[in-house]
Amino acid sequence: MKRLFGLVTCALLVVAATALAQGVQTGTITGIVQSSDGLSLPGVTVTASSPSLQGQRTAVTDVNGVFFIKGLPAGTYSVRFEIPSFQTATSDSVVLPLGGVAEVNQTLLVAGRTETVNVVGEAPSPLVSVTSNRAVTKAEVDALPIGLRPQDIAELTPGLTNNTPNASQVTIAGSTAYDNVFMLNGVDINDNVFGTPNGLYTEDAIQEVNVLTGGISAEWGRFAGGVINIVTKSGGNSFSGSFRENFSNPKWIDETPRERANNVVHQDVLSKYHEGTLGGPIKIDRLWFFSAGRYQRDPTPNTFVQTGGSYTRVDTTKRGELKLTGTVAPNQTLSGDFTTNSVTQKDRPSLNSTLSLDPSVLVTGKFPNTLFVTTYNGVLSQKFFATLQYSQKKQQLQSGGSKTEITASPFRTRGVVAGVPPSLHYAAPFFSALDPEDRNNKQFTGSVSYTLSRKRTGTHDLKGGGEFYRATNRGGNSQSATDYVFQSDYLVVNGKPAVDADGVPVPVFIPGTSRVQNWIPTKGATINIDTTSLYVQDHWVAAPRLSVELGARFENVHGKATGDLLTVDNTRKLMPRLGATYDLMGDGRTTLQATYGHYSGKYSENQYGHNTDVANPSRVTYGYTGPAGQGRDFAPGFDLRNYATIISAAFPTANIFVAPDVHSPTTREFTLGLGREFGGKGYAKATYQFRKWYGFLEDFIQLSNGIVNVNRNGANVGDLTKVIYGNAAADDIDRRYQAMILQTNYRVRSNIRLNERRISRASPRSSATIRRFSGRPSIAICPKGGLPTISATSCASMARTASAAA
C-alpha cells in the first residue's frame, strides 16, 4: 500500500499539480469556440447537461478558445455556450460514448438574441479520436438480431471475432484469445485463466459497450489485444424499469448434416430465464439507485457414452446488481456497485461429458462470483478533476468428489482390453470439492490531470494516474478427493460394458497392466501476480487543425507463490503511446490520423505459475502386481501395497525454473487513418493497422541449463534436465498482423441509418490462406422521433495465418 501511494504521488508530480481528466468509464466533451471572424474566444462559459448526469458541469474556454468538460457519464447532452456581447448558442442531442470524446465546435455571433443549434442525435464520428473503437448502445442492441452478452455485442466491431478456442473469448486485431481486458464499471472482470468475462452483469442492465481495437491511450494496460469496456445503467431523475422473458429450446435448432447422418435428434426441452431492472431517484439530482436481477434454470438431457444411460444436468444461475450514485457536493460524485453471479450445476459430469460412463461421476458444482466497486470522481477547482476507484472481484470453482476412502477413487480406462476406448471415466467423481479453486482480483486506481494553456504553444490536457492490480489464484488442483486415480479397463460383455447393481462398469484388475496415479497436490497453494502501473497522457491541441497525443505507460510486475517461489521478479516495461490528428481542409470534415504504440500482454497465472504448486500437483504412477480380479468389491485391487512398481513420476516444481527477467510478450502497433464527414449526415473512414508481437514465453529444455536429481515421496525419478521458462528472441519467433478497416455511417432520415464495417486482414508471413465472409443484415427503423439505430451491418474479412520465423 505504501508503494501504491508513492506511485500516485509520483503521478501528481508528473502532471505538475492536480487535474481535470476523464476516467475509463467516463468521457469528455471538448471543442474550440471562435467568433465569426475566425478568432478564438477565451472566457466562454460552456455548460453540459444530460439525463445521465446529476446536475450540470461547466468549463470556461482557455486563451486558445479550447474547452474540456471531463468525467461525464455516457449519454445524450445539451451543451450551452455563453459570453457577454455574443449570442448564446446551444447544441442539443450531443451523443457522448462510453469512455470516449464528443467534439462540439462552436462559432458565436455578435448580438443579443439566443440561437439554438439542433444537432441530430447519432453516434459521434470516429474522426474525433485517434483510437480505433466502436461504441454500441442499448438502443442499438435492442434493434439488432444479436446476442446480448458483451462478447456478442463486441463482434459488431471490425477487427474482432468471438470464433475462438474457448467459448466467450474474443480475438482482437490478431491477438491471442485470452489476452484482452473485459472491464465492467471500471473493473477487470476477466477469468484469470481463460480471459473470458465473468457473468457479473444482467443483459438488460448494460447501457453501453465500447470496444477499443487500436491506437489505445496510456490509460489502458495489461493486454496485447484490446479492451471491451462495459458500463451498466445508473438510474436517473425519473423511475424506469424493464422485464424480459427469454426462451430457448434445442428443438428449435436444425440438426447439422453430421448429426442427421448419425440419427441425432435435438431434444425438445424448453429453457427460460427471467430478468428485470429498476432504477430512479432517491433524491433528484443528488442520489440515484439502480437494481437488476436475473434467474435462469436450464435442464439439459444427456446420454452416457458406451453404457447408454441417461441423465439430466440442471444449471441454475442467479444474478443481481445494486448500484448507488450520489453527488456528495457540487461536482463531486461517489458511486458504489455490488454484483453477484451464483451458478449451481446439478448432476454435472466432473470430467468431460463425452468421456463419462455412469451416474457415479456426476456431481453438484457450485461457482459463486461477486464484485464490489466504489468510485469517486470530482472537479476540485476550475481546472482540476480527480478519480479514485477500489474494487474486489471474487470467483470460486467448487466441484468434484468429497469422499476420501480409497474405494471412492475414480477410474480411467487405458484402452488395453479389446473393445475399451482409452481415457473414459467411471466409478467416482474426478477432482475434489475439498480443494476449491479461487480466481480473484483486486484493483486500486487513481488519476489526476491539468489543463495547461498558452497562446503560443497551444492547449495541453495533461493526465497522470496509477493502478495497483493483484491477480490471485488459489488451489492445488486435486485430481480426486482421495488423491488417487486408478487406471483399469472395464469388463466387456457382448461388446458393451458390463455394469454392477449401481450401473457402474465393472473394473478389471490385470497385473502388469492396471495402474494407479498418486496425485500430490498442495491444497490452498496461492499465487499473487501484482502489476503496478503509472501513466501520463497529453492531449495537445497544437493548432486549430492539429492535435497530438503524447503518452507513456510504465508497468512493474511481481509474482510470488506459496513456498516463496518467484514467478515474475519485478519485471519493468515502458510503453509509448503516440498519435496525431490533422484537419486536411481546415473545416473539421476531413482528417488524417496516425498512431504508434506498445502494449504489454497480461501475466496469466496459468502461464507464469509453471514453477509453483498452484493448480500444478505432483504425480507418481505405480504398476499393479496382482492378484488378478474384477469388481469394485475386489479388495486386492484397492490395496496400495499391491502397486509396488514405479512406472513414472512428475514433480513439476522440482526441475522447472523461471528466468530472472521473464516478461509478457510485447505488441508494437502502427495505424494510419483517413476520414471524411458528409454534411452532418454521416462519415467514411479507412484505417490501416499493423501489429507485431515478440518476446513470447517459451520453455527452454537444453543440456546447458544443467541437471536436477528428483527424489521425492519415495519415488526416484532420476536426473532431469532443468526446464527454464524465458522469452524467445524476436528473431526466433514473432507474430504479425495487417488490416485495412473500412467504416461508414450514413443517416438517410432521422429514424433510418445505414452502417457498414469491413476489415481485410493479411500477413506477409503466410503458410495458409483463409477467406471468410459473414454478414448480419437487418432492417431496423425507429418510429418517428424515436432513438437512432443501426439498420444494416455487415463484415467481410480475409485473413492469412502467420507462420513463425524459425
Side-chain angles (χ1 to χ4, degrees), residues 129-130 546-550 578-582 592-596 673:
S129 172
V130 296
L546 175 65
S547 63
V548 179
E549 301 289 339
L550 302 172
L578 310 173
T581 299
Y582 183 70
L592 179 67
Q593 297 174 333
T595 70
Y596 176 78

Side-chain angles (χ1 to χ4, degrees), residues 28-149:
T28 299
I29 295 178
T30 183
I32 300 177
V33 184
Q34 297 178 323
S35 60
S36 57
D37 54 5
L39 298 178
S40 60
L41 277 179
V44 177
T45 299
V46 185
T47 304
S49 58
S50 169
S52 303
L53 180 69
Q54 292 180 346
Q56 297 178 333
R57 291 282 177 86
T58 62
V60 177
T61 58
D62 65 7
V63 67
N64 300 305
V66 179
F67 71 93
F68 296 96
I69 306 179
K70 305 282 188 83
L72 299 176
T76 302
Y77 283 79
S78 175
V79 183
R80 185 178 179 87
F81 302 84
E82 297 175 292
I83 189 173
S85 302
F86 285 82
Q87 296 179 14
T88 296
T90 301
S91 293
D92 292 324
S93 302
V94 176
V95 177
L96 178 63
L98 170 62
V101 177
E103 185 174 310
V104 185
N105 298 319
Q106 187 62 259
T107 299
L108 297 184
L109 304 177
V110 177
R113 64 184 178 84
T114 298
E115 174 187 309
T116 299
V117 180
N118 291 316
V119 180
V120 177
E122 61 177 279
S125 165
L127 279 60
V128 175
S129 172
V130 296
T131 300
S132 299
N133 72 302
R134 172 77 170 102
V136 184
T137 65
K138 181 68 166 60
E140 292 174 321
V141 171
D142 286 343
L144 290 173
I146 63 173
L148 302 178
R149 303 173 304 170

Side-chain angles (χ1 to χ4, degrees), residues 712-778:
R712 291 188 180 179
N713 294 75
N716 188 356
V717 183
D719 292 337
L720 299 180
T721 303
K722 283 185 178 179
V723 179
I724 298 179
Y725 277 84
N727 296 103
D731 294 336
D732 291 337
I733 181 172
D734 63 22
R735 179 185 179 110
R736 302 187 185 193
Y737 170 88
Q738 297 185 75
M740 180 61 72
I741 302 169
L742 306 177
Q743 294 175 271
T744 61
N745 174 294
Y746 190 77
R747 180 170 46 82
V748 181
R749 294 174 53 188
S750 61
N751 61 341
I752 304 177
R753 181 192 300 171
L754 300 177
N755 285 263
E756 184 169 47
R757 290 171 293 282
R758 293 180 179 269
I759 175 167
S760 177
R761 297 190 293 269
S763 170
R765 300 188 176 191
S766 327
S767 58
T769 300
I770 302 173
R771 290 181 175 86
R772 294 176 181 161
F773 177 80
S774 61
R776 293 185 184 82
S778 66

Side-chain angles (χ1 to χ4, degrees), residues 633-805:
D633 56 355
F634 182 65
F638 291 93
D639 189 342
L640 298 177
R641 292 172 297 181
N642 293 326
Y643 295 84
T645 305
I646 296 177
I647 303 296
S648 65
F651 294 94
T653 60
N655 69 313
I656 296 180
F657 301 86
V658 175
D661 59 345
V662 69
H663 56 79
S664 67
T666 299
T667 305
R668 290 185 179 179
E669 180 190 70
F670 169 75
T671 70
L672 181 64
L674 178 65
R676 172 73 178 177
E677 289 189 355
F678 302 122
K681 284 184 172 290
Y683 62 83
K685 183 179 181 181
T687 304
Y688 168 76
Q689 183 179 29
F690 173 80
R691 281 188 172 188
K692 178 181 178 180
W693 291 260
Y694 61 91
F696 290 98
L697 186 68
E698 293 287 340
D699 53 338
F700 292 90
I701 307 174
Q702 49 199 16
L703 292 176
S704 59
N705 293 343
I707 300 296
V708 175
N709 181 267
V710 179
N711 192 331
R712 291 188 180 179
N713 294 75
N716 188 356
V717 183
D719 292 337
L720 299 180
T721 303
K722 283 185 178 179
V723 179
I724 298 179
Y725 277 84
N727 296 103
D731 294 336
D732 291 337
I733 181 172
D734 63 22
R735 179 185 179 110
R736 302 187 185 193
Y737 170 88
Q738 297 185 75
M740 180 61 72
I741 302 169
L742 306 177
Q743 294 175 271
T744 61
N745 174 294
Y746 190 77
R747 180 170 46 82
V748 181
R749 294 174 53 188
S750 61
N751 61 341
I752 304 177
R753 181 192 300 171
L754 300 177
N755 285 263
E756 184 169 47
R757 290 171 293 282
R758 293 180 179 269
I759 175 167
S760 177
R761 297 190 293 269
S763 170
R765 300 188 176 191
S766 327
S767 58
T769 300
I770 302 173
R771 290 181 175 86
R772 294 176 181 161
F773 177 80
S774 61
R776 293 185 184 82
S778 66
I779 299 299
I781 303 176
C782 288
K784 188 173 180 63
L787 292 171
T789 66
I790 297 177
S791 56
T793 304
S794 66
C795 177
S797 66
M798 179 182 70
R800 292 179 178 173
T801 58
S803 61

Side-chain angles (χ1 to χ4, degrees), residues 13 61 112 219 458 536 755:
L13 294 175
T61 58
E219 297 175 67
V536 291
N755 285 263

Side-chain angles (χ1 to χ4, degrees), residues 521-643:
T522 302
K523 295 181 176 66
T526 303
I527 180 174
N528 291 317
I529 298 182
D530 298 339
T531 303
T532 307
S533 308
L534 279 176
Y535 67 86
V536 291
Q537 188 75 36
D538 178 14
H539 175 68
W540 176 24
V541 183
R545 296 173 64 176
L546 175 65
S547 63
V548 179
E549 301 289 339
L550 302 172
R553 185 179 182 90
F554 170 80
E555 290 184 355
N556 180 86
V557 183
H558 180 77
K560 195 172 184 179
T562 296
D564 289 329
L565 296 173
L566 288 177
T567 60
V568 184
D569 190 9
N570 289 317
T571 296
R572 297 174 178 87
K573 274 190 181 181
L574 182 64
M575 294 157 285
R577 308 280 176 88
L578 310 173
T581 299
Y582 183 70
D583 181 358
L584 290 175
M585 309 301 294
D587 58 2
R589 297 174 62 184
T590 305
T591 59
L592 179 67
Q593 297 174 333
T595 70
Y596 176 78
H598 290 190
Y599 309 128
S600 179
K602 66 171 54 180
Y603 291 80
S604 168
E605 303 93 303
N606 194 41
Q607 291 181 298
Y608 293 86
H610 286 291
N611 65 323
T612 76
D613 291 313
V614 181
N616 207 17
S618 299
R619 173 192 53 80
V620 181
T621 300
Y622 299 92
Y624 184 59
T625 58
Q630 63 186 40
R632 290 191 298 160
D633 56 355
F634 182 65
F638 291 93
D639 189 342
L640 298 177
R641 292 172 297 181
N642 293 326
Y643 295 84

